[in-house]
Amino acid sequence: MSKERAAVGVDGLALPVLPPERDARVCARLVRVMFYTPGFLALLLIKAGEPTSFGISVELLMLSSVAAIVAGLFISAQSTIAGSDHASRVGTWSGTLILELLSVVPILCAIPSLFHELANSRLLHALAPGATDVALGASELLPAVAVFPFILYQLAGFGILHYILSRPMNWVVNIGILSLIVFATAANRHANYGMEKTAVSILVITMLITVFYGVLKLRQMQTTYDTHCPTKEAKEGGEGKDKVLE
Protein backbone atom coordinates (compact mmCIF):
# COMPACT_ATOMS: atom_id res chain seq x y z
CA MET A 1 0.00 0.00 0.00
CA SER A 2 1.32 3.45 -0.89
CA LYS A 3 2.16 5.87 1.90
CA GLU A 4 -0.26 8.66 2.70
CA ARG A 5 1.06 12.13 2.08
CA ALA A 6 1.43 14.44 5.05
CA ALA A 7 -1.56 16.76 5.39
CA VAL A 8 -0.05 19.27 7.85
CA GLY A 9 3.28 21.04 7.49
CA VAL A 10 5.97 21.69 10.08
CA ASP A 11 4.41 25.10 10.77
CA GLY A 12 1.02 23.57 11.54
CA LEU A 13 -0.60 24.81 8.34
CA ALA A 14 -2.37 22.55 5.86
CA LEU A 15 -0.23 21.35 2.96
CA PRO A 16 -1.47 21.57 -0.66
CA VAL A 17 -3.42 18.54 -1.89
CA LEU A 18 -1.37 17.28 -4.82
CA PRO A 19 -2.64 14.87 -7.50
CA PRO A 20 -1.78 11.20 -7.03
CA GLU A 21 1.32 9.83 -8.69
CA ARG A 22 0.72 8.72 -12.28
CA ASP A 23 2.54 6.21 -14.42
CA ALA A 24 4.62 8.24 -16.87
CA ARG A 25 4.80 5.24 -19.22
CA VAL A 26 1.02 5.18 -19.63
CA CYS A 27 1.01 8.93 -20.24
CA ALA A 28 3.76 8.51 -22.86
CA ARG A 29 1.64 5.94 -24.71
CA LEU A 30 -1.27 8.37 -24.67
CA VAL A 31 1.02 11.02 -26.17
CA ARG A 32 1.69 8.73 -29.15
CA VAL A 33 -2.03 8.08 -29.65
CA MET A 34 -2.87 11.78 -29.45
CA PHE A 35 -0.09 12.65 -31.87
CA TYR A 36 -0.78 10.12 -34.61
CA THR A 37 -4.60 9.90 -34.57
CA PRO A 38 -5.60 13.57 -35.08
CA GLY A 39 -2.52 14.22 -37.23
CA PHE A 40 -3.47 11.38 -39.58
CA LEU A 41 -7.07 12.62 -39.79
CA ALA A 42 -5.88 16.16 -40.57
CA LEU A 43 -3.67 14.92 -43.42
CA LEU A 44 -6.60 12.99 -44.91
CA LEU A 45 -8.78 16.11 -44.84
CA ILE A 46 -6.06 18.22 -46.45
CA LYS A 47 -5.73 15.62 -49.19
CA ALA A 48 -9.50 15.63 -49.74
CA GLY A 49 -9.45 19.40 -50.10
CA GLU A 50 -13.16 19.99 -49.42
CA PRO A 51 -15.56 21.23 -48.20
CA THR A 52 -15.06 24.72 -46.80
CA SER A 53 -15.94 23.78 -43.22
CA PHE A 54 -13.03 21.32 -43.08
CA GLY A 55 -10.79 24.33 -42.38
CA ILE A 56 -11.45 24.77 -38.66
CA SER A 57 -11.56 20.99 -38.16
CA VAL A 58 -8.09 20.63 -39.66
CA GLU A 59 -6.78 23.40 -37.41
CA LEU A 60 -8.23 21.73 -34.31
CA LEU A 61 -6.81 18.35 -35.27
CA MET A 62 -3.36 19.81 -35.90
CA LEU A 63 -3.48 21.60 -32.54
CA SER A 64 -4.39 18.33 -30.85
CA SER A 65 -1.49 16.55 -32.54
CA VAL A 66 1.18 19.20 -31.89
CA ALA A 67 0.05 19.80 -28.28
CA ALA A 68 0.68 16.11 -27.63
CA ILE A 69 4.36 16.64 -28.52
CA VAL A 70 4.62 19.47 -26.01
CA ALA A 71 2.89 17.31 -23.41
CA GLY A 72 5.48 14.62 -24.07
CA LEU A 73 8.26 17.11 -23.26
CA PHE A 74 6.73 17.79 -19.86
CA ILE A 75 6.19 14.10 -19.14
CA SER A 76 9.77 13.27 -20.11
CA ALA A 77 10.99 15.88 -17.60
CA GLN A 78 9.45 13.94 -14.70
CA SER A 79 11.99 12.92 -12.05
CA THR A 80 11.87 12.08 -8.36
CA ILE A 81 15.42 10.78 -7.95
CA ALA A 82 18.26 12.60 -6.23
CA GLY A 83 18.88 16.00 -7.76
CA SER A 84 15.32 16.50 -9.00
CA ASP A 85 13.80 19.94 -8.49
CA HIS A 86 10.27 21.19 -7.87
CA ALA A 87 9.49 21.50 -11.59
CA SER A 88 10.62 17.97 -12.46
CA ARG A 89 8.33 16.50 -9.79
CA VAL A 90 5.26 17.89 -11.55
CA GLY A 91 6.27 16.95 -15.12
CA THR A 92 3.77 14.12 -15.54
CA TRP A 93 0.90 16.10 -14.01
CA SER A 94 1.67 19.10 -16.23
CA GLY A 95 1.91 16.94 -19.34
CA THR A 96 -1.38 15.25 -18.50
CA LEU A 97 -3.05 18.65 -18.08
CA ILE A 98 -1.83 19.69 -21.55
CA LEU A 99 -3.14 16.43 -23.03
CA GLU A 100 -6.52 16.93 -21.37
CA LEU A 101 -7.09 20.55 -22.40
CA LEU A 102 -5.08 21.08 -25.60
CA SER A 103 -5.27 17.60 -27.16
CA VAL A 104 -8.50 15.95 -26.02
CA VAL A 105 -10.72 19.07 -25.97
CA PRO A 106 -9.81 20.17 -29.55
CA ILE A 107 -10.42 16.72 -31.01
CA LEU A 108 -13.74 16.47 -29.14
CA CYS A 109 -14.70 19.82 -30.68
CA ALA A 110 -13.60 18.83 -34.19
CA ILE A 111 -15.13 15.35 -34.49
CA PRO A 112 -18.89 16.20 -34.55
CA SER A 113 -18.53 18.76 -37.35
CA LEU A 114 -16.02 16.58 -39.16
CA PHE A 115 -18.34 13.58 -39.14
CA HIS A 116 -21.27 15.72 -40.35
CA GLU A 117 -19.30 17.03 -43.31
CA LEU A 118 -17.92 13.60 -44.23
CA ALA A 119 -21.37 12.04 -43.99
CA ASN A 120 -22.93 14.71 -46.25
CA SER A 121 -20.10 15.37 -48.68
CA ARG A 122 -21.33 15.18 -52.28
CA LEU A 123 -17.77 14.82 -53.51
CA LEU A 124 -16.98 11.87 -51.26
CA HIS A 125 -20.38 10.25 -51.72
CA ALA A 126 -21.19 10.69 -55.39
CA LEU A 127 -24.30 8.61 -55.90
CA ALA A 128 -24.52 6.09 -58.71
CA PRO A 129 -27.54 6.33 -61.04
CA GLY A 130 -30.61 5.01 -59.24
CA ALA A 131 -28.96 4.97 -55.81
CA THR A 132 -30.82 6.31 -52.78
CA ASP A 133 -29.38 9.10 -50.64
CA VAL A 134 -29.95 8.00 -47.04
CA ALA A 135 -29.94 10.83 -44.49
CA LEU A 136 -28.39 9.94 -41.14
CA GLY A 137 -30.54 12.41 -39.24
CA ALA A 138 -30.03 12.66 -35.49
CA SER A 139 -27.59 9.75 -35.52
CA GLU A 140 -24.96 12.19 -36.83
CA LEU A 141 -24.72 13.49 -33.27
CA LEU A 142 -23.48 10.16 -31.89
CA PRO A 143 -19.76 11.11 -32.12
CA ALA A 144 -20.52 14.18 -29.99
CA VAL A 145 -21.61 11.95 -27.10
CA ALA A 146 -17.91 11.37 -26.30
CA VAL A 147 -17.74 14.82 -24.69
CA PHE A 148 -19.97 13.73 -21.80
CA PRO A 149 -17.64 11.01 -20.42
CA PHE A 150 -14.85 13.59 -20.65
CA ILE A 151 -16.87 16.06 -18.56
CA LEU A 152 -17.59 13.24 -16.10
CA TYR A 153 -13.86 12.43 -16.01
CA GLN A 154 -13.15 16.01 -14.98
CA LEU A 155 -16.00 16.57 -12.52
CA ALA A 156 -15.59 13.20 -10.80
CA GLY A 157 -12.02 14.09 -9.82
CA PHE A 158 -10.02 12.00 -12.29
CA GLY A 159 -8.58 15.03 -14.10
CA ILE A 160 -5.82 17.39 -13.00
CA LEU A 161 -8.23 20.37 -12.92
CA HIS A 162 -9.78 18.87 -9.81
CA TYR A 163 -6.57 19.64 -7.89
CA ILE A 164 -5.77 23.12 -9.19
CA LEU A 165 -9.22 24.72 -9.33
CA SER A 166 -11.91 25.08 -6.71
CA ARG A 167 -15.01 22.95 -7.18
CA PRO A 168 -17.14 25.88 -8.48
CA MET A 169 -14.43 26.94 -10.95
CA ASN A 170 -13.99 23.36 -12.11
CA TRP A 171 -17.70 23.23 -12.90
CA VAL A 172 -17.56 26.59 -14.67
CA VAL A 173 -14.64 25.52 -16.88
CA ASN A 174 -16.20 22.18 -17.83
CA ILE A 175 -19.66 23.62 -18.47
CA GLY A 176 -17.93 26.24 -20.61
CA ILE A 177 -16.14 23.49 -22.58
CA LEU A 178 -19.42 21.67 -23.19
CA SER A 179 -21.29 24.85 -24.12
CA LEU A 180 -18.67 26.08 -26.59
CA ILE A 181 -18.42 22.67 -28.28
CA VAL A 182 -22.22 22.54 -28.65
CA PHE A 183 -22.29 26.12 -29.93
CA ALA A 184 -19.50 25.48 -32.46
CA THR A 185 -21.23 22.32 -33.69
CA ALA A 186 -24.55 24.13 -34.10
CA ALA A 187 -22.85 26.96 -36.00
CA ASN A 188 -21.24 24.43 -38.32
CA ARG A 189 -24.59 22.78 -39.02
CA HIS A 190 -26.00 26.15 -40.05
CA ALA A 191 -22.96 26.87 -42.24
CA ASN A 192 -22.14 29.88 -40.05
CA TYR A 193 -18.40 29.27 -40.21
CA GLY A 194 -17.50 32.71 -38.87
CA MET A 195 -19.46 32.08 -35.66
CA GLU A 196 -17.99 28.58 -35.45
CA LYS A 197 -14.46 29.97 -35.66
CA THR A 198 -15.26 32.53 -32.96
CA ALA A 199 -16.54 29.84 -30.58
CA VAL A 200 -13.54 27.61 -31.29
CA SER A 201 -11.13 30.52 -30.77
CA ILE A 202 -12.68 31.31 -27.38
CA LEU A 203 -12.47 27.64 -26.43
CA VAL A 204 -8.80 27.28 -27.41
CA ILE A 205 -7.74 30.56 -25.75
CA THR A 206 -9.55 29.56 -22.55
CA MET A 207 -7.83 26.16 -22.55
CA LEU A 208 -4.45 27.81 -23.16
CA ILE A 209 -4.91 30.24 -20.25
CA THR A 210 -6.05 27.38 -18.01
CA VAL A 211 -2.99 25.32 -18.95
CA PHE A 212 -0.63 28.22 -18.18
CA TYR A 213 -2.31 28.76 -14.82
CA GLY A 214 -2.42 25.03 -14.06
CA VAL A 215 1.24 24.28 -14.77
CA LEU A 216 2.42 27.26 -12.71
CA LYS A 217 -0.03 26.37 -9.91
CA LEU A 218 1.20 22.77 -9.81
CA ARG A 219 4.79 23.93 -9.52
CA GLN A 220 3.88 26.40 -6.77
CA MET A 221 1.96 23.69 -4.88
CA GLN A 222 4.89 21.28 -5.14
CA THR A 223 7.31 23.97 -3.92
CA THR A 224 5.09 24.73 -0.93
CA TYR A 225 4.73 21.05 -0.13
CA ASP A 226 8.47 20.36 -0.31
CA THR A 227 9.26 23.42 1.79
CA HIS A 228 6.81 22.75 4.62
CA CYS A 229 6.56 18.96 4.55
CA PRO A 230 7.34 17.47 7.99
CA THR A 231 10.30 15.11 8.31
CA LYS A 232 10.45 11.65 9.72
CA GLU A 233 13.28 10.66 12.02
CA ALA A 234 15.46 7.83 10.76
CA LYS A 235 15.15 4.47 12.51
CA GLU A 236 17.75 3.45 15.06
CA GLY A 237 20.82 2.02 13.42
CA GLY A 238 20.23 4.04 10.28
CA GLU A 239 22.36 6.75 8.81
CA GLY A 240 21.00 9.33 11.28
CA LYS A 241 19.41 11.47 8.57
CA ASP A 242 15.83 12.61 8.40
CA LYS A 243 13.74 11.30 5.57
CA VAL A 244 11.08 13.37 3.88
CA LEU A 245 7.67 11.78 3.75
CA GLU A 246 6.59 11.02 0.22
Side-chain angles (χ1 to χ4, degrees):
M1 178 179 289
S2 60
K3 298 180 181 179
E4 293 291 335
R5 289 198 185 101
V8 180
V10 292
D11 51 5
L13 298 178
L15 292 171
V17 179
L18 296 170
E21 297 295 335
R22 304 198 175 199
D23 193 336
R25 295 171 297 179
V26 175
C27 294
R29 294 189 186 101
L30 181 58
V31 166
R32 289 197 291 270
V33 172
M34 292 307 301
F35 170 69
Y36 286 111
T37 303
F40 179 70
L41 287 174
L43 290 176
L44 286 180
L45 295 182
I46 292 174
K47 185 175 179 61
E50 67 85 38
T52 304
S53 58
F54 275 178
I56 193 66
S57 297
V58 171
E59 292 168 4
L60 286 169
L61 292 172
M62 291 304 295
L63 170 61
S64 178
S65 179
V66 176
I69 300 177
V70 179
L73 291 176
F74 279 84
I75 294 170
S76 66
Q78 176 73 24
S79 176
T80 56
I81 61 177
S84 61
D85 57 8
H86 305 302
S88 63
R89 296 190 188 102
V90 299
T92 299
W93 298 331
S94 299
T96 302
L97 181 64
I98 294 172
L99 283 175
E100 290 175 359
L101 301 186
L102 290 180
S103 285
V104 176
V105 170
I107 198 172
L108 287 174
C109 185
I111 288 301
S113 299
L114 171 61
F115 181 78
H116 171 73
E117 294 299 339
L118 290 175
N120 295 278
S121 171
R122 293 296 178 182
L123 178 61
L124 299 179
H125 299 282
L127 296 177
T132 304
D133 187 5
V134 179
L136 296 178
S139 65
E140 289 183 8
L141 297 176
L142 289 178
V145 173
V147 71
F148 293 100
F150 174 77
I151 299 299
L152 177 63
Y153 166 87
Q154 294 289 358
L155 296 180
F158 293 95
I160 301 296
L161 282 179
H162 174 72
Y163 297 92
I164 62 175
L165 297 178
S166 63
R167 182 181 294 272
M169 280 304 300
N170 193 19
W171 275 83
V172 168
V173 170
N174 283 282
I175 291 175
I177 291 172
L178 178 61
S179 300
L180 287 169
I181 289 177
V182 170
F183 188 81
T185 302
N188 177 271
R189 293 298 180 90
H190 291 87
N192 191 343
Y193 303 127
M195 190 61 69
E196 179 191 17
K197 183 165 289 189
T198 299
V200 169
S201 298
I202 294 173
L203 176 64
V204 171
I205 291 173
T206 303
M207 295 302 97
L208 183 61
I209 293 173
T210 306
V211 164
F212 265 81
Y213 171 80
V215 171
L216 295 177
K217 180 66 179 293
L218 285 169
R219 190 185 188 285
Q220 183 266 326
M221 291 167 62
Q222 185 67 57
T223 302
T224 302
Y225 187 91
D226 292 342
T227 302
H228 300 282
C229 181
T231 57
K232 178 181 178 181
E233 294 183 359
K235 295 181 180 179
E236 295 182 1
E239 298 179 358
K241 296 181 179 180
D242 291 344
K243 296 184 179 179
V244 179
L245 288 176
E246 298 180 353

